[in-house]
Amino acid sequence: MPKSRTSPFTRRGLIAAGGALGLVAALSACGGTDQAKGGAGESDKGAAASGSWSFKDDLGKQVTAKSTPKNIVAFTGTAAALSDYGVKVKGVFGPTKTADGKPDVQAGTMDISKVEILGNVYDEFNVEKYAALRPDLLVTNTWDGSYWYLPEASKDKILKLAPAAAISVGGDATLDKSLERTAALAKSLGADLNSKATVDAKARFEAASAKVREATKANPGIKVLVGSGAADLFYVSTPKTSADLKYFESLGVEFVIPEKLDQGGFFESLSWENAGKYKADVILLDNRTGTLQPEELKAKPTWAELPAVKAGQVTPRVTEPIYSYDKCAKILEDLAKSIQDAKKVS
């Protein structure tokens, strides 16, 4: 995925091994819960007749518990998606609140005052606080087969405390499939997928998908660049590795394809002197905390010279979507309008 100042893809492998030494006692006192093998019931169902709970996650693991988990800890964006389905979590990790105390974009409409924030940036996870929550389940996403936002130095300690489930948002995943899998997990945790709010949100998502398809047909040839700004570099993402971009492409969106991907295969990094290497009609700009936004980018002369910027055709990209139909419908509606209104300037 595109790099931000808090992205683990630029730091994984550089983090020192080990971790905080004083945690062994806390882990032992809480008592680890290893993932049991096997498990009854289908992957999207909750408690079985025996009262046990089972869910097969996107890492291929059958995650089980003696009963439906109640003390849930999740990556902030995943917690926000579960919240949209009525599933509450006790703790979160990942970008949750901004410096002024307001909810981060990845928190969505979740009430962050009612959750324990275990870490607010990458490589920050308070294992002692996590243990104190006596977690039944940890939930996050996965881009590359790893647990998103779990620090390398402490992930083994974290994973000993409770079963963990991951939903794929990269690799072979597409937005619609990631939504289905998140909804299935929510259902297993007690969500009612037949509620009016959920049914209406799904219908809105499907209608929004149709709007994008219609917009690309009505305004063909519009080239879309997916970018992320940092102090020294401008990152151009490939649509081939992210669930949302692959889905947009299936709806007819024409993306700029970077030629030389960095290690990891998510983006090409360009110096600001070379920010104009690729011509585009619309720029989808990374909206995450820690990346440069349009006001900050005004200080970059080459940014101001990009044709899409001159034309005012820059749209925020929700780089890490909240995988609920409610939140993703809005993303598609905004994308459809951007393409529909765009003028060919490249």
Side-chain angles (χ1 to χ4, degrees), residues 85-143:
Y85 291 113
V87 177
K88 306 302 181 185
V89 305
K90 293 292 182 69
V92 296
F93 56 96
T96 306
K97 64 180 179 180
T98 57
D100 59 5
K102 294 180 180 179
D104 188 273
V105 292
Q106 294 191 58
T109 52
M110 178 176 58
D111 186 347
I112 64 172
S113 70
K114 295 183 178 179
V115 295
E116 182 79 51
I117 300 174
L118 304 176
N120 200 50
V121 296
Y122 180 70
D123 205 25
E124 180 180 273
F125 191 114
N126 191 314
V127 185
E128 291 171 322
K129 285 185 177 180
Y130 179 57
L133 291 174
R134 304 195 67 82
D136 299 321
L137 178 69
L138 182 144
V139 182
T140 187
N141 293 330
T142 182
W143 290 80

Side-chain angles (χ1 to χ4, degrees), residues 6 52 68 82 97 108 115 125 136-137 139 146 149 151 179-180 186 198 237 242 274 280 288 297 300 346:
T6 57
S52 63
T68 303
L82 292 176
K97 64 180 179 180
V115 295
F125 191 114
D136 299 321
L137 178 69
V139 182
S146 62
Y149 257 75
L179 283 167
E180 289 175 6
T198 297
S237 292
S242 300
N274 295 312
R288 289 176 298 170
L297 288 169
K300 305 290 185 183
S346 62

Side-chain angles (χ1 to χ4, degrees), residues 135-193:
D136 299 321
L137 178 69
L138 182 144
V139 182
T140 187
N141 293 330
T142 182
W143 290 80
D144 59 356
S146 62
Y147 293 100
W148 185 238
Y149 257 75
L150 287 193
E152 286 292 321
S154 56
K155 70 176 182 180
D156 290 341
K157 295 182 178 72
I158 294 166
L159 293 173
K160 285 179 180 178
L161 284 169
I167 300 296
S168 180
V169 297
D172 294 331
T174 53
L175 179 63
D176 53 338
K177 296 302 180 184
S178 297
L179 283 167
E180 289 175 6
R181 294 291 292 144
T182 303
L185 175 60
K187 179 181 178 181
S188 78
L189 295 170
D192 178 10
L193 299 189

